[in-house]
Amino acid sequence: MEKVLVGLSGGIDSSVAAYLLKKQGYDVIGATMLIWKKDSPYPAPVSPNSCYNPNKDEDIVKIKEIAEKIGIEHITIDCSSLYEQKVLDNFRSEYMSARTPNPCIWCNALIKFGAMVNEARKIVSFDYFATGHYARIVKNGDRYAVKKAVDLKKDQSYFLSRLTQQQLKCTLFPLGGMTKEDVRKIDVVQGFHKEGEAESQDFYGGDYTDLLMAKDRKGDIVFKDGKKLGEHDGFWHYTIGQRKGLGIAYSEPLYVIRLDSSKNQVVVGTKEDTLSLKARANNIVYMKSEEFSPFIDYSVKVRSTSPGNAAKVKKIGEDEIEIEFLSNVNAITPGQSAVIYDGDEVVASAIIE
């Protein structure tokens, strides 16, 4: 019988994923990742719905109850030191360099599907790792790729776009072909959670700038021509494309178009200035293919909430690509991931420069 290690957070999706795999005949082991470091300098989140949360003891009790209902073994894996180093330190470093990272993407690639799986293998043996993510995995020749979920409203392929070929080879996504509605029905029937129970896990669940631990520092808000229009308390409180909260009067709406960490400046412009036809990205992870065809119009998501924009993609260096969009794209942000799709399948993922 093949063994599957399931990332068990105690939420609806991971609980149903574990239940379905057990029902399919796999020998299932539930594993919960611990990422809160007791002596961490980082502040605790305000929201209890944060996956980075010190109050895990109560959660573990509930998770073990769910594991017992399913009839599976349960273990915990401490990934707190590596999480602080690879996710939180990176998040802080990028933000203070006027870039906007996506911590969930890094956590999936380096911690959840990386360190957690590696540490678990020291305790138990298993053939596959599975989670309750809404995505599918396909094989094209000798290459694996993440494919969008059937339920596009819940699709999480963007957040899984930096998984390696080795990781994908041993991964299962049992919910990829299901709708959230169907998953909730199974959850209620099995008695894992109450009907209508809210479920929302955020990376931090509070003001992200708390994690930067930076004291407010006065700086200038300047127009794109350099003219000073106002002041701010630190460029890290702003994001590219932001319109509200600038506190300055002008003849037309203004948007943040650039952040300058060296000058502690927030540069603003008009709506037109937020639009771009080109982007460069590096630090590439390939999935479906290691090449881009000049004859294909790819769909590129420059943020998790993007519907995807048609574009041509070409390599311009060993680890750099140029993305040429067929129509203007709003607020392309350095530090975010550009995820390139061919249809519903992820071709590659890179970090926007």
Side-chain angles (χ1 to χ4, degrees):
M1 186 185 294
E2 290 184 305
K3 280 190 176 183
V4 182
L5 183 79
V6 180
L8 203 58
S9 68
I12 293 170
D13 297 329
S14 65
S15 302
V16 173
Y19 164 76
L20 290 174
L21 289 167
K22 176 78 185 296
K23 193 178 176 185
Q24 289 165 19
Y26 289 101
D27 183 358
V28 179
I29 304 162
T32 301
M33 179 174 71
L34 305 178
I35 57 176
W36 173 264
K37 195 174 173 211
K38 290 181 180 177
D39 59 350
S40 174
Y42 291 96
V46 230
S47 168
N49 286 331
S50 167
C51 53
Y52 176 65
N53 197 315
N55 306 314
K56 260 304 184 198
D57 291 345
E58 290 180 16
D59 292 343
I60 295 296
V61 171
K62 293 176 184 175
I63 293 168
K64 285 191 177 295
E65 288 174 359
I66 291 171
E68 283 178 16
K69 280 186 178 179
I70 301 170
I72 62 173
E73 182 186 348
H74 176 262
I75 60 174
T76 56
I77 310 290
D78 188 352
C79 300
S80 57
S81 293
L82 202 58
Y83 183 85
E84 183 175 287
Q85 176 193 342
K86 297 291 186 182
V87 179
L88 297 181
D89 287 354
N90 172 265
F91 179 84
R92 186 183 181 197
S93 172
E94 286 283 273
Y95 243 100
M96 297 310 291
S97 300
R99 294 163 60 83
T100 306
N102 194 307
C104 297
I105 288 180
W106 291 108
C107 179
N108 279 332
L110 301 177
I111 312 299
K112 189 173 291 180
F113 291 79
M116 176 181 166
V117 173
N118 295 336
E119 288 301 310
R121 289 196 188 281
K122 297 176 184 177
I123 305 171
V124 292
S125 64
F126 52 92
D127 303 292
Y128 296 99
F129 176 59
T131 66
H133 283 97
Y134 287 83
R136 293 174 285 175
I137 295 175
V138 292
K139 191 177 182 186
N140 300 287
D142 60 349
R143 296 195 65 83
Y144 294 86
V146 170
K147 184 177 181 179
K148 290 180 183 178
V150 166
D151 189 341
L152 292 178
K153 289 182 291 185
K154 296 298 295 180
D155 174 58
Q156 292 171 296
S157 59
Y158 180 88
F159 297 102
L160 301 162
S161 62
R162 293 192 70 82
L163 298 187
T164 66
Q165 290 296 295
Q166 189 57 42
Q167 287 170 328
L168 291 173
K169 183 181 180 181
C170 304
T171 295
L172 301 174
F173 293 133
L175 307 188
M178 302 176 67
T179 66
K180 180 72 177 189
E181 186 181 357
D182 289 338
V183 171
R184 278 189 177 275
K185 285 177 183 175
I186 294 172
D187 181 76
V188 172
V189 169
Q190 294 305 314
F192 301 143
H193 302 87
K194 294 177 182 176
E195 188 170 1
E197 185 166 324
E199 184 186 45
S200 175
Q201 260 206 339
D202 191 16
F203 153 61
Y204 184 65
D207 188 340
Y208 284 2
T209 59
D210 291 346
L211 288 173
L212 307 180
M213 296 179 287
K215 292 182 179 179
D216 285 353
R217 182 159 47 95
K218 289 291 181 186
D220 294 337
I221 298 176
V222 301
F223 194 61
K224 60 184 178 180
D225 62 4
K227 181 183 177 183
K228 180 177 175 178
L229 298 178
E231 292 185 341
H232 61 77
D233 291 323
F235 70 86
W236 53 90
H237 292 293
Y238 298 81
T239 55
I240 303 295
Q242 180 177 334
R243 176 187 171 188
K244 295 180 178 178
L246 298 179
I248 48 179
Y250 200 72
S251 56
E252 59 183 302
L254 293 178
Y255 301 79
V256 176
I257 60 171
R258 188 163 57 86
L259 300 172
D260 190 324
S261 58
S262 61
K263 296 179 181 178
N264 188 24
Q265 272 188 351
V266 174
V267 183
V268 297
T270 62
K271 177 68 176 175
E272 188 179 341
D273 297 318
T274 67
L275 304 176
S276 307
L277 280 171
K278 285 186 179 181
R280 285 193 177 190
N282 59 20
N283 201 339
I284 310 163
V285 171
Y286 293 99
M287 280 198 181
K288 183 176 182 179
S289 171
E290 291 188 338
E291 300 297 330
F292 301 103
S293 169
F295 306 108
I296 294 178
D297 289 347
Y298 296 98
S299 175
V300 181
K301 295 181 71 165
V302 294
R303 61 183 62 84
S304 62
T305 54
S306 164
N309 300 88
K312 298 289 186 185
V313 182
K314 65 179 180 181
K315 292 182 182 180
I316 54 172
E318 189 176 331
D319 189 32
E320 190 172 18
I321 56 174
E322 183 176 79
I323 304 164
E324 188 168 346
F325 294 99
L326 304 192
S327 58
N328 277 314
V329 176
N330 182 51
I332 297 176
T333 305
Q336 287 281 289
S337 288
V339 180
I340 301 150
Y341 293 83
D342 180 5
D344 285 343
E345 297 176 15
V346 175
V347 178
S349 180
I351 307 300
I352 297 168
E353 281 297 302

